[in-house]
Amino acid sequence: MPPYSPDLNPTEQVCAKFKALLRKAAARTQEALWTNIGELFDSFPAEECQNHFSNCGYEFT
């Protein structure tokens, strides 16, 4: 197997954006954290997710 590369893994790209948005929200209670997590999922439209896969070399037909 080739060495692992986070640049070729769309999950790593999405998680990096998600963690950055979560830090920016700065939720300090468990309730606020869960609320922010639910809201942050709206920050990932389907087109953007497809772009992450395309950026990693996956092709869509």
Side-chain angles (χ1 to χ4, degrees):
M1 287 187 77
Y4 176 75
S5 174
D7 295 333
L8 299 176
N9 186 341
T11 305
E12 296 286 345
Q13 295 175 9
V14 171
C15 286
K17 178 182 175 182
F18 184 76
K19 288 191 298 187
L21 292 171
L22 199 55
R23 284 187 199 104
K24 186 177 179 181
R28 298 294 179 234
T29 65
Q30 186 175 10
E31 184 177 331
L33 178 65
W34 284 115
T35 300
N36 284 332
I37 287 173
E39 293 170 356
L40 289 177
F41 282 119
D42 293 333
S43 301
F44 295 91
E47 290 176 346
E48 181 180 346
C49 294
Q50 184 173 353
N51 289 340
H52 286 301
F53 279 93
S54 297
N55 185 41
C56 292
Y58 292 93
E59 294 184 21
F60 294 92
T61 57

